[in-house]
Amino acid sequence: MTVTASHSLDISALLSKRAHAIDASGIRKVFDLAAHLKNPINLSIGQPDFPVPQAIKDAAIAAIAGDKNGYTPTQGCHELIEAIWKRLEYEFQWPRGAEHGLSAIATSGTSGGLFLALLCLLDEGDEAIIPDPYFVMYPAMGPLTTGKMVAVDTYPDFRLTAERIERAITPRTKCVLLNSPGNPTGVVLNQQEIRDIVDLCRAKNLLIISDEIYDEFTFSESREDGRFPSPASYTRDCLLVRGFGKTYGCTGWRLGYVAGPHDLVQAMARLQQYSYVCAPSMAQHGVAKAFDVDMQPWVDRFEKRRAMMLEAFEGVAQVTRPGGAFYGFVEVPKRLNLTATQFVEKAIANNVLIIPGKVFSHRDTHFRLSFAQKEEVLAEGLGILRKLMQA
Ligand code: PMP
């Protein structure tokens, strides 16, 4: 049989509605525009700029060298699950084990956890409430699961409050997806706001899914009593979705974990068995040591970079102070009379790569800037953006 260069099948007619419904063109367009830049000042990056801590690298390398390269149990290797439970007991006093109605499994990235959770919760037409602006994956979960992602406008303060959530609840609502610290805004909900959401969801029989991928990157003032604000402190009726990629600089290792109601997590494990099978084995062995690594010096450094960003835009543009993560969501000054996409095109023409808010929102008024970048590069980029805004 010969292989022909041109296709004779109409692949488009064969693709499912869900494949047609996913449109990644927004973000691709930005990268297409930037493709010709030789050495762009890249403030678009969604991952930290530090190397994986040596202890974690060593553990992953030792796992490979020690022939631990086969499948792990679907729920994750013993060492990692032990480490996760130690952490949950310490942080939330969550008791371990099915007899307490709780379970935890390792997932293929935070994305893997979110995807399995929504697949387990949403039948056709069932609704999940998400914030707008949102992490790009959230709306895509609609077509992928046949559920409906109901985006709640959180402008201008970017707080997904109980009041805002309540207005979006319908008889089809099953869950609320929280993301604090948030991508793309960095906004961190406070303990009271979280308690109000927990009370509302309890009253309405809704599950909270808490995407806490940026939990470690929560700056000092957003940690009341030194604690990271999470619904897990107030209820066990929430699914914690966490990741290792951002915290330890290993986004490519595809590793996260979920913990929460036993019956849900076990349903997710069953789906994982027939999809991802298990999270990458050497990465699991690597991050089993992660909770012992102190990332605070890096978090402090990111806090200083946040200060650089806030200072750069002072007096020229509105930017909501991020309490965590490593993003600023900056409003394009109205007097420039530009959409965010138009402003981003100007920035790219001046060698600075940022992402228009439209990629994360129904509005096109802001841009996302990442300060996960070396201080001198960040300073140069901020200087150029400031000038463009003063023009
Ligand atoms: N949730 C949020 C809010 C994110 O920003 C990201 C990554 N940018 C993810 C989930 C996915 O993370 P992972 O790489 O662990 O799948």
Side-chain angles (χ1 to χ4, degrees), residues 46 109-111 114 135 138 179 183 211 213-214 246 251 254-255 327:
T110 313
S111 311
L114 288 169
F135 168 47
Y138 293 176
N179 177 215
N183 178 6
D211 177 349
I213 189 168
Y214 299 102
K246 308 275 177 182
T251 48
R254 313 304 310 132
L255 209 65
Y327 309 113

Side-chain angles (χ1 to χ4, degrees), residues 3-82:
V3 179
T4 47
S6 62
H7 298 288
S8 50
L9 285 184
D10 179 1
I11 299 295
S12 178
L14 298 180
L15 287 181
S16 65
K17 287 194 197 94
R18 83 175 59 84
H20 278 293
I22 304 292
D23 177 16
S25 60
I27 209 148
R28 212 178 307 133
K29 204 173 146 210
V30 180
F31 289 110
D32 285 350
L33 276 174
H36 69 280
L37 299 179
K38 279 216 174 61
N39 197 10
I41 298 168
N42 194 347
L43 305 185
S44 75
I45 309 171
Q47 60 185 335
D49 58 315
F50 47 74
V52 178
Q54 196 59 43
I56 301 177
K57 280 186 188 167
D58 288 346
I61 292 165
I64 294 174
D67 296 323
K68 294 182 179 165
N69 299 302
Y71 300 122
T72 71
T74 278
Q75 61 268 31
C77 74
H78 177 73
E79 295 91 319
L80 179 57
I81 294 298
E82 285 297 312

Side-chain angles (χ1 to χ4, degrees), residues 64-136:
I64 294 174
D67 296 323
K68 294 182 179 165
N69 299 302
Y71 300 122
T72 71
T74 278
Q75 61 268 31
C77 74
H78 177 73
E79 295 91 319
L80 179 57
I81 294 298
E82 285 297 312
I84 289 169
W85 273 110
K86 233 172 108 185
R87 171 71 185 223
L88 294 172
E89 280 165 354
Y90 165 77
E91 194 175 347
F92 302 122
Q93 294 76 54
W94 271 20
R96 175 181 186 149
E99 68 274 26
H100 300 287
L102 291 168
S103 244
I105 61 169
T107 55
S108 290
T110 313
S111 311
L114 288 169
F115 187 41
L116 292 175
L118 291 164
L119 277 176
C120 284
L121 289 165
L122 302 182
D123 282 318
E124 193 174 342
D126 285 342
E127 297 175 8
I129 292 175
I130 59 168
D132 176 343
Y134 39 71
F135 168 47
V136 288

